[in-house]
């Protein structure tokens, strides 16, 4: 099919109206995003919308009207709350759901007994609906699953050859789709946030709820209040991960991620390739830019994208709602220490894994080094050790030999020593923790440091391999090596106590094992 590109002059709008009245499909601009319109009362025409978009048939469409009173024949009843919302927000970026009248067919309503109605404020949209002379069913004019189009160019990308005409009306003012509120439930509920905020709605009709799935996604056994909630949405080809962090932490994190792209605010200073989506304190600018930014990232060939997190209130709730879906709900939370605890038996090759993690941008904290330095740097610890074990200093410093003689062969004293040293070591490690970090801690569990870690990883290897490695590395006998290993936790212990396991025998594919773990954490 040849797709006509129309302008916004009267002649072209009349032509668009004619195409729609005759059962054809026309994409047109609205104040939110471009819509893909058909005569809402012509079920055959409406079916073609689902076909052109590749949209599941149970996902209902919004019916667009040109005059406030045109809602009356479409619904069972215009309730007082509906009337109040119409008076306050029509025309504008608000969609109201009410029980439907018989005029609304099964195809438009996706088989539901309700209908969604909206009256756009965009002048071109309004003229097109008037020219068609019928209510217009119109979803966003994108291929199902892709970001909604905020510029004519993206509609042309997605719909050329599939529909009769596209009106090029410039860029959309708001950039995210309308707020969808249902009045068909006991308490009015926002099913999709948009530029008309919860607070604005509440100021007109009192208490309004926000559906749980708006910010948190749907649980497996949950049924969707709005079928659109359950489908993958707004997803670019790139993998998007939201980074929950303040600006400085975000910048530091993203600058360490080789090969990644940043989806960030205008103010952010990043050294990786970037696409901005508005300004940090301007929610409306974020809404306007987001979908365009997602599409541009694909044009730039981005594979992994780290997005700065938007707020979740006001208009930004709409931005967050779209972005979290584009990210398939993957969030790296850097508001808490993001430290991976790396442990395992001697000879399993933890240092090698650390090297690999360092190459991938992690800050490595070597607990053995921290232990070595702790006696020189922590005066309070030195004092409490002297209180416990008598004068164990030489020239004012802890004498490790003296200390060793006291605790060696005395298990209870060794335990007391550890009880004093371990917390100091953990504190020091936490203070060294930059984002993201790996705590290289052979004695992670002995020290109780696992609780300070976001996730724990055990590095394991066959006993034979470990023995070979230790005898070579430390220049000790098989016997001595065996002895050392026998005092350590078993493989089963590590497997049951750690979140992840890396098998580090010589023939394992270590890079893949590491990347799989990091991928599952959002890297
Ligand atoms: O801003 C907008 O609303 C744009 C422009 C073109 O007007 N349109 C739009 O339509 O975003 P669409 O189809 O992409 O999104 C409509 C959303 C879907 O999530 C759908 O499931 C939901 O509204 N919806 C429609 N009718 C519904 C109903 N009766 N009950 C519950 N949800 C409904
Ligand atoms: Mg859509």
């Amino acid at each position: 099919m040849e797709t006509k590109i129309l302008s916004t002059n009267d002649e072209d709008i009349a032509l668009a109206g004619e195409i729609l009245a005759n059962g054809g499909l026309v994409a047109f601009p609205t104040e939110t995003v471009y819509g893909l319109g058909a005569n809402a009362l012509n079920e055959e025409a409406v079916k073609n919308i689902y076909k052109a978009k590749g949209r599941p048939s149970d996902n209902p469409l919004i019916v667009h009207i040109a005059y406030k009173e045109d809602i009356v024949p479409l619904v069972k009843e215009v309730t007082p709350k509906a009337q109040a919302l119409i008076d306050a927000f029509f025309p504008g970026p608000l969609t109201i759901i009410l029980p439907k009248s018989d005029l609304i067919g099964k195809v438009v309503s996706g088989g539901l007994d309700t209908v969604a109605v909206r009256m756009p404020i965009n002048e071109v949209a309004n003229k097109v609906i008037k020219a068609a002379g019928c209510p217009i069913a119109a979803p966003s004019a994108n291929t199902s699953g892709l970001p909604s189009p905020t510029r004519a160019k993206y509609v042309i990308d997605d719909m050329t050859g599939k529909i009769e005409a596209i009106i090029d009306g410039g860029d959309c003012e708001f950039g995210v789709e309308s707020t969808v509120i249902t009045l068909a439930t006991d308490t009015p509920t926002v099913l999709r946030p948009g530029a008309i905020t919860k607070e604005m709605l509440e100021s007109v009709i009192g208490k309004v709820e926000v559906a749980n799935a708006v910010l948190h996604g749907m649980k497996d056994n949950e049924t969707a209040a709005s079928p659109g909630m359950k489908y993958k949405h707004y997803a670019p080809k790139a993998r998007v991960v939201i980074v929950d962090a303040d600006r400085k932490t975000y910048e530091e994190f993203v600058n360490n991620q080789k090969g990644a792209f940043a989806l960030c605010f205008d103010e952010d200073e990043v050294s990786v390739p970037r696409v901005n989506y508005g300004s940090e304190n301007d929610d409306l600018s974020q809404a306007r830019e987001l979908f365009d930014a997602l599409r541009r990232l694909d044009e730039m060939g981005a594979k992994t994208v780290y997005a700065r997190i938007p707020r979740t209130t006001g208009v930004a709730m709409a931005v967050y709602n779209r972005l979290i879906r584009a990210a398939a709900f993957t969030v790296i939370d850097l508001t808490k220490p993001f430290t991976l605890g790396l442990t395992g038996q001697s000879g399993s090759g933890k240092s090698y894994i650390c090297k690999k993690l360092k190459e991938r941008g992690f800050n490595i904290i070597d607990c053995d080094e921290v232990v070595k330095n702790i006696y020189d740097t922590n005066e309070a610890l030195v004092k409490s050790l002297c209180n416990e074990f008598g004068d164990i200093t030489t020239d004012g410093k802890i004498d490790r030999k003296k200390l060793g003689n006291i605790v060696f062969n005395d298990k209870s004293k060794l335990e007391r020593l550890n009880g004093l040293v371990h917390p100091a070591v953990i504190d020091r490690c936490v203070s060294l923790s930059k984002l993201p970090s790996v705590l290289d801690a052979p004695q992670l569990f002995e020290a109780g440091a696992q609780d300070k870690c976001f996730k724990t990883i055990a590095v394991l290897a066959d006993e034979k391999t470990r023995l070979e490695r230790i005898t070579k590395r430390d220049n000790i006998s098989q016997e001595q090596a065996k002895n050392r290993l026998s005092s350590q936790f078993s493989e089963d212990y590590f497997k049951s106590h750690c979140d992840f396991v890396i098998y580090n025998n010589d023939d394992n594919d270590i890079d893949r094992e590491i990347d799989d773990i990091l991928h599952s954490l959002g890297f």
Side-chain angles (χ1 to χ4, degrees):
M1 173 188 312
E2 194 214 330
T3 302
K4 287 194 182 72
I5 308 296
L6 305 178
S7 73
T8 57
N9 64 32
D10 290 351
E11 206 178 303
D12 277 8
I13 285 184
L15 176 58
E18 200 179 303
I19 296 171
L20 287 165
N22 289 328
L25 302 187
V26 178
F28 57 92
T30 82
E31 68 277 19
T32 56
V33 300
Y34 273 76
L36 174 54
N39 177 353
L41 307 180
N42 177 341
E43 294 270 284
E44 284 311 308
V46 175
K47 270 186 197 159
N48 288 331
I49 291 183
Y50 288 90
K51 250 189 240 158
K53 277 182 65 89
R55 179 173 174 118
S57 61
D58 67 347
N59 192 3
L61 308 178
I62 296 172
V63 178
H64 296 64
I65 55 177
Y67 302 96
K68 290 182 188 180
E69 56 275 22
D70 285 354
I71 190 174
V72 177
L74 306 177
V75 300
K76 272 226 168 85
E77 184 199 350
V78 178
T79 60
K81 280 186 182 169
Q83 193 57 56
L85 290 179
I86 291 167
D87 291 341
F89 301 114
F90 274 21
L94 178 70
T95 296
I96 299 176
I97 294 175
L98 285 166
K100 74 177 188 68
S101 73
D102 292 340
L103 205 57
I104 296 293
K106 274 205 183 82
V107 183
V108 181
S109 68
L112 299 178
D113 49 16
T114 51
V115 64
V117 183
R118 129 166 164 82
M119 179 178 169
I121 197 168
N122 177 286
E123 201 189 335
V124 177
N126 185 269
K127 281 186 185 168
V128 169
I129 303 165
K130 281 180 184 159
C134 56
I136 298 294
S140 49
N142 51 290
T143 299
S144 207
L146 291 185
S148 296
T150 53
R151 302 176 193 273
K153 162 179 176 326
Y154 299 132
V155 184
I156 294 169
D157 288 349
D158 282 14
M159 291 299 152
T160 298
K162 297 180 181 163
I163 63 177
E164 276 78 4
I166 297 168
I167 301 178
D168 183 345
D171 298 347
C172 298
E173 182 188 343
F174 289 113
V176 290
E177 307 89 336
S178 60
T179 303
V180 176
I181 185 170
T182 178
L183 298 179
T185 47
D186 288 342
T187 310
T189 304
V190 172
L191 302 181
R192 184 176 71 183
I196 307 290
T197 63
K198 175 181 192 279
E199 293 73 24
M200 291 160 79
L201 295 163
E202 283 187 327
S203 73
V204 176
I205 55 166
K207 180 148 183 53
V208 168
E209 279 172 6
V210 175
N212 186 53
V214 162
L215 295 180
H216 305 290
M218 299 226 322
K219 305 201 179 72
D220 285 346
N221 53 2
E222 205 177 335
T223 47
S226 176
M229 285 174 171
K230 71 183 177 213
Y231 293 111
K232 196 175 168 202
H233 250 81
Y234 316 118
K237 293 188 197 85
R239 175 167 190 251
V240 178
V241 177
I242 294 183
V243 180
D244 189 356
D246 56 44
R247 169 156 21 138
K248 211 172 141 283
T249 308
Y250 171 80
E251 289 169 351
E252 192 183 311
F253 171 81
V254 100
N255 288 341
N256 259 316
Q257 304 301 315
K258 283 190 208 116
F261 280 62
L263 176 56
C264 55
F265 296 138
D266 300 338
E267 299 84 354
D268 294 339
E269 288 176 16
V270 299
S271 53
V272 297
R274 68 187 289 159
V275 172
N276 296 359
Y277 78 105
S279 170
E280 177 157 18
N281 294 314
D282 181 353
D283 301 347
L284 281 168
S285 74
Q286 294 165 23
R288 198 164 50 237
E289 301 292 332
L290 178 66
F291 288 143
D292 183 60
L294 290 172
R295 292 218 177 216
R296 275 196 288 142
L297 283 161
D298 275 347
E299 286 171 2
M300 290 162 79
K303 295 257 177 329
T304 305
V305 175
Y306 290 108
R308 176 86 186 280
I309 197 165
R311 276 189 287 272
T312 54
T313 51
V315 176
M317 184 193 279
V319 178
Y320 181 85
N321 167 270
R322 307 312 191 270
L323 188 56
I324 191 85
R325 278 159 177 78
F329 295 92
T330 319
V331 179
I332 292 183
D333 183 357
L334 298 185
T335 61
K336 302 190 206 88
F338 192 99
T339 306
L340 301 179
L342 192 80
T343 187
Q345 298 155 310
S346 296
S348 58
K350 284 184 294 299
S351 316
Y352 181 66
I353 305 299
C354 279
K355 197 179 125 228
K356 295 269 177 193
L357 286 163
K358 194 170 179 189
E359 285 165 16
R360 287 160 172 80
F362 282 79
N363 163 50
I364 310 293
I365 303 164
D366 182 338
C367 287
D368 284 345
E369 281 302 313
V370 172
V371 172
K372 269 186 212 152
N373 295 328
I374 197 96
Y375 298 124
D376 298 336
T377 53
N378 189 329
E379 281 175 27
L381 176 67
V382 171
K383 252 191 207 145
S384 45
L385 288 180
C386 289
N387 282 343
E388 182 74 33
F389 300 111
D391 184 10
I392 42 162
T393 57
T394 300
D395 301 334
K397 287 196 166 174
I398 292 282
D399 185 328
R400 286 161 155 263
K401 248 201 186 134
K402 276 191 194 168
L403 184 59
N405 286 337
I406 293 172
V407 299
F408 196 59
N409 288 332
D410 185 334
K411 215 171 158 215
S412 75
K413 281 191 177 153
L414 181 63
E415 271 169 17
R416 291 216 303 277
L417 174 67
N418 284 341
L420 291 170
V421 174
H422 282 157
V425 171
I426 294 175
D427 280 353
R428 178 88 185 116
C429 289
V430 169
S431 78
L432 289 172
S433 204
K434 275 195 262 146
L435 298 166
S437 282
V438 171
L439 197 61
D440 177 4
Q443 303 219 327
L444 186 79
F445 291 105
E446 288 89 335
Q450 73 275 19
D451 297 339
K452 301 278 178 195
C453 296
F454 172 61
K455 296 281 175 192
T456 54
I457 304 174
V459 185
L460 301 176
D462 296 341
E463 185 172 346
K464 189 168 159 275
T465 310
R466 282 185 281 125
L467 282 173
E468 267 172 27
R469 287 180 187 159
I470 312 177
T471 46
K472 234 195 231 159
R473 181 188 68 194
D474 298 344
N475 204 11
I476 55 177
S477 69
Q478 278 272 338
E479 221 36 52
Q480 287 169 309
K482 267 198 180 146
N483 205 8
R484 193 188 296 176
L485 289 183
S486 70
S487 66
Q488 300 185 342
F489 287 127
S490 68
E491 182 165 321
D492 281 344
Y493 181 92
F494 285 113
K495 275 194 203 159
S496 58
H497 285 76
C498 287
D499 298 302
F500 300 101
V501 169
I502 293 175
Y503 288 98
N504 187 18
N505 293 314
D506 296 333
D507 51 359
N508 287 121
D509 186 347
I510 300 305
D511 287 302
R512 214 209 63 233
E513 289 186 57
I514 293 175
D515 288 338
D516 284 352
I517 292 172
L518 294 185
H519 193 82
S520 76
L521 295 175
F523 287 84

